[in-house]
Amino acid sequence: MSRLFGSVRARATLGATLVVAVALVAAGTAVLLSLRSNLTAEAGTQAERSARAVASELAARTPYGGLSGLDGDDGPVQIVDEDGKLVAGSEDLERISGTATTEVKPRPSAPGDDDDDDSEDSDDSDGAGDSDESLAPGEIGHETTFSNGSATIDGDTEDYRFAAVEVESPDHGRLTVHAGAPLAAEHSAVRTALTVMLIGFPLLLVVVAAVTWLVTGRALRPVEGIRSEMAAITASEDLARRVPEPATHDEIARLARTTNETLAALEASVERQRRFVADASHELRSPIASLRTQLEVAAAHPELLDLDGAVEDTVRLQHLAADLLLLARLDAGERPADARVDLSALAREEAAGRTGVTVDAEPVEVTGSRGQLGRVLANLLDNGRRHARERVTVTVRREGDRAVLAVADDGEGVAEADRERIFERFVRLDAARSRDDGGAGLGLAIARDVAVRHGGTLTAGAAPAGGALFELRLPLAR
């Protein structure tokens, strides 16, 4: 069963069919009850009309034999006195139930009894004639009592709706007229409606299920296309491929567009990672090869060992490995700490020991990692010292809700076309291509990555003295 309804299409079809089925059953039940109630009420109105017609004749002193309602054409009629004794009934009435008495013919009167006998010793009395309504001679009661029953007339048995009306006969006293209207029309209409529902509802459910199945399948067809393409991309590892985007503006089209955007970001990330690995391998190859050469020469000719050069290459290799490790942590999404850092104190601490660096800072606090922010400032200062003629200036100030740390030098500056390219990894400009003087090209890339991780920016511009100006902007600590 779980496999049968394991797809969204099957579950949607089943759900829609069940909902429609419940709605149809509820609506059909309401229709049948309403139809039956209306037809029963109509039969009751007809029976009341017949009963009041007979009551009107009794109020007009019409004898029992002359009552027009006893011919049985409009339905069975019984007239009982206030003791429940049958005094008149319809012709050809053979059996009856649901009225005050089951008698179909008046019983012969005992010696001394007459038609207006009011004695209360009848054994068939059931209180049907008892009423609190006071009636004057010739007056018909306003209240009508309804009941259901059956009657057999001339061999035909049917169900009837009976209406009971009281009348004060001038000649016979208080009488109750029971008249019935057939319920055959009500039964026939209910049976017809039920038959139509039993035939039509299943057909309608089949139509609903088929339409839901087709519509759901058509709506989910793009999803299957997206799934199959994603499976092909996973199998081929070709991130340049994209899933098909439906020419619609619904949720599935937005899903396809978001999936393609994710694939594009993943492709860019993988490509950046590949370039990073290739560039890192290239940068590591030179110091490792140089160090190996010096060690091999020293092994063969100890007197030729260049110890200072070996130490320098080892330190450079250590710095490069540390930079690569930090970049790897930043790419992995490492979040900075939430410590409060005083940028002015950090600037003075990093400037100490570096010649030609001046600091003009006001107390400004930011939130983040003191170690990573110190690394940013150290990289900016090293870059400034590498290109400055005489001095590097560090300023720290507030600008609105931002802290601004600026590092300016009096060197040749950075061309406007290169002010974004210098933040790319392993990028060295023409004047700094020497690995000994220009480094590995990771310092500014690390600085910008750390700035972004702290919710800030790092930009390059022109300094007032004509050199390069790097501005680090970070949110102020709350």
Side-chain angles (χ1 to χ4, degrees):
M1 183 64 69
S2 59
R3 295 186 62 184
L4 179 62
F5 297 103
S7 65
V8 175
R9 188 180 188 183
R11 290 197 298 269
T13 302
L14 177 62
T17 305
L18 289 178
V19 169
V20 173
V22 172
L24 289 178
V25 170
T29 302
V31 168
L32 290 178
L33 293 177
S34 177
L35 178 63
R36 182 175 181 179
S37 176
N38 291 337
L39 292 177
T40 301
E42 183 179 349
T45 301
Q46 181 181 350
E48 181 182 10
R49 189 181 303 115
S50 300
R52 290 191 177 275
V54 174
S56 298
E57 293 181 354
L58 291 174
R61 298 178 180 271
T62 302
Y64 296 143
L67 295 175
S68 60
L70 299 183
D71 54 8
D73 293 338
D74 295 332
V77 175
Q78 282 185 322
I79 304 174
V80 297
D81 58 15
E82 56 185 338
D83 295 329
K85 179 180 178 182
L86 180 67
V87 296
S90 299
E91 299 177 2
D92 300 327
L93 180 62
E94 301 174 3
R95 187 179 297 104
I96 192 170
S97 64
T99 58
T101 177
T102 58
E103 296 182 71
V104 295
K105 297 297 181 181
R107 290 178 296 175
S109 300
D113 292 344
D114 53 24
D115 290 341
D116 57 350
D117 186 11
D118 294 335
S119 63
E120 299 181 359
D121 56 355
S122 173
D123 293 338
D124 296 329
S125 174
D126 59 359
D130 297 338
S131 175
D132 295 334
E133 188 177 8
S134 178
L135 300 176
E139 185 178 1
I140 301 174
H142 298 289
E143 297 180 359
T144 304
T145 305
F146 295 96
S147 61
N148 292 334
S150 63
T152 302
I153 301 177
D154 197 16
D156 295 330
T157 301
E158 293 185 14
D159 293 330
Y160 288 87
R161 179 71 169 172
F162 291 100
V165 177
E166 293 185 346
V167 60
E168 187 70 28
S169 173
D171 298 331
H172 308 290
R174 179 70 63 89
L175 300 176
T176 302
V177 180
H178 296 274
L183 293 175
E186 180 260 346
H187 293 333
S188 176
V190 171
R191 282 195 300 268
T192 301
L194 182 59
T195 302
V196 171
M197 291 179 183
L198 292 177
I199 296 176
F201 282 5
L203 295 177
L204 183 59
L205 290 178
V206 171
V207 172
V208 169
V211 171
T212 305
W213 180 266
L214 294 176
V215 172
T216 307
R218 184 178 181 84
L220 294 177
R221 190 176 304 158
V223 177
E224 177 59 25
I226 295 173
R227 186 208 63 79
S228 59
E229 184 64 22
M230 286 296 294
I233 292 173
T234 303
S236 64
E237 298 183 357
D238 183 8
L239 296 178
R241 300 174 62 173
R242 297 293 181 265
V243 300
E245 295 187 14
T248 57
H249 302 283
D250 55 8
E251 293 82 356
I252 297 178
R254 292 196 293 271
L255 172 64
R257 286 193 292 271
T258 303
T259 302
N260 284 334
E261 292 172 0
T262 303
L263 288 173
L266 183 60
E267 181 186 13
S269 176
V270 171
E271 183 62 27
R272 185 171 61 250
Q273 190 70 19
R274 287 173 180 171
R275 288 200 306 268
F276 174 74
V277 172
D279 293 339
S281 301
H282 179 72
E283 293 295 330
L284 288 171
R285 185 183 298 114
S286 296
I288 291 176
S290 175
L291 182 59
R292 177 180 178 179
T293 300
Q294 296 181 53
L295 293 177
E296 288 177 349
V297 170
H301 306 282
E303 68 279 2
L304 300 178
L305 174 63
D306 183 5
L307 186 59
D308 293 337
V311 172
E312 184 180 347
D313 284 340
T314 303
V315 172
R316 181 165 168 256
L317 185 61
Q318 181 182 4
H319 289 168
L320 181 57
D323 288 344
L324 294 176
L325 180 60
L326 178 57
L327 284 174
R329 292 204 308 268
L330 293 176
D331 288 342
E334 179 181 303
R335 302 294 299 175
D338 293 331
R340 299 174 72 91
V341 181
D342 187 347
L343 283 184
S344 59
L346 184 63
R348 292 187 179 92
E349 179 182 329
E350 292 295 334
R354 286 183 170 91
T355 59
V357 178
T358 60
V359 178
D360 180 14
E362 61 177 275
V364 176
E365 287 189 342
V366 296
T367 302
S369 170
R370 182 180 180 85
Q372 291 185 10
L373 294 177
R375 183 64 176 277
V376 172
L377 185 53
N379 289 352
L380 294 179
L381 289 175
D382 291 341
N383 182 79
R385 286 293 305 140
R386 188 179 298 116
H387 298 88
R389 292 189 180 94
E390 295 181 0
R391 68 180 183 274
V392 176
T393 303
V394 179
T395 59
V396 180
R397 66 184 185 276
R398 295 173 181 264
E399 283 189 5
D401 61 346
R402 294 274 169 167
V404 180
L405 186 149
V407 178
D409 62 68
D410 58 354
E412 296 181 359
V414 182
E416 187 175 354
D418 295 327
R419 289 175 183 173
E420 280 298 316
R421 196 166 67 90
I422 58 176
F423 292 107
E424 297 179 6
R425 299 175 182 182
F426 302 105
V427 169
R428 289 182 294 270
L429 301 183
D430 293 339
R433 286 192 180 275
S434 170
R435 288 185 171 83
D436 294 333
D437 298 331
L442 292 177
L444 294 179
I446 292 175
R448 170 165 279 189
D449 283 354
V450 172
V452 172
R453 294 294 179 185
H454 283 74
T457 59
L458 177 61
T459 57
L469 172 65
F470 292 89
E471 287 188 336
L472 172 66
R473 297 176 181 270
L474 298 172
L476 290 172
R478 296 183 179 179

